[in-house]
Amino acid sequence: MTEQHPTQFERGTDGPKVIVVGVDGSDSSLRAAAYAAGLARRQHALLALVYVQPVLAAGAAVGAPVAETTDEIAEDLVAQIRHETERVKGIFDIRWEFHTFRGDPYGGLVKAADELKADAVIVGASEQAGHRIVGSVAVRLVKAGRWPVTVVP
């Protein structure tokens, strides 16, 4: 006969530890970041904000300063995130990191989620009409079936 021990409830230990959220400055990605920040706060998880800088060979061919423009977007996003973090400091404390990857958004988020060992991926819903036909980054992430994916409208 074996002795049975009562099962103890462990509060807050089964949730995600690393939450990856894709940000690109669009309204839907900023809503996704806000949602992810709330989840990270409640779960005491690390919030990894990921901006994927597009590689546009066509833009570079005509002399467009693509890299400089995407660097400016990344810098602006970090400034916005730091501002919001300072604004709520002491009320809501969140551990966060900002990461930049180059490539297409899907490939960059997959790489980020793999490298950061993400437990969850959160993205904003696509605001581009053509994605209904070709498929959005969110749909591709869901189809990959490697992490729970939340799509924020």
Side-chain angles (χ1 to χ4, degrees):
M1 186 162 147
T2 61
E3 185 179 322
Q4 293 187 0
H5 297 281
T7 304
Q8 285 189 338
F9 178 75
E10 296 180 74
R11 181 182 298 273
T13 58
D14 292 340
K17 298 297 177 207
V18 178
I19 299 169
V20 167
V21 60
V23 292
D24 62 7
S26 66
D27 288 343
S28 67
S29 80
L30 296 176
R31 285 190 298 270
Y35 175 84
L39 183 60
R41 179 184 55 81
R42 289 186 299 277
Q43 296 292 333
H44 304 288
L46 172 66
L47 176 62
L49 297 122
V50 175
Y51 171 59
V52 181
Q53 292 181 308
V55 177
L56 302 173
V62 295
V66 174
E68 292 161 13
T69 302
T70 59
D71 286 343
E72 288 173 16
I73 292 170
E75 290 170 14
D76 184 49
L77 287 168
V78 170
Q80 287 179 41
I81 294 161
R82 283 202 174 109
H83 172 74
E84 288 303 313
T85 302
E86 284 299 314
R87 193 174 64 79
V88 297
K89 194 172 189 173
I91 302 168
F92 301 115
D93 288 323
I94 301 169
R95 291 182 307 125
W96 64 276
E97 299 173 350
F98 185 83
H99 300 270
T100 302
F101 290 82
R102 289 192 185 273
D104 72 286
Y106 170 77
L109 286 172
V110 166
K111 184 176 180 180
D114 283 343
E115 287 184 12
L116 299 169
K117 297 180 179 25
D119 297 302
V121 178
I122 299 175
V123 292
S126 175
E127 295 178 347
Q128 297 179 359
H131 284 179
R132 291 190 182 121
I133 300 166
V134 178
S136 67
V137 171
V139 169
R140 292 174 66 195
L141 288 167
V142 169
K143 286 183 178 180
R146 294 166 60 184
W147 321 268
V149 177
T150 302
V151 182
V152 177

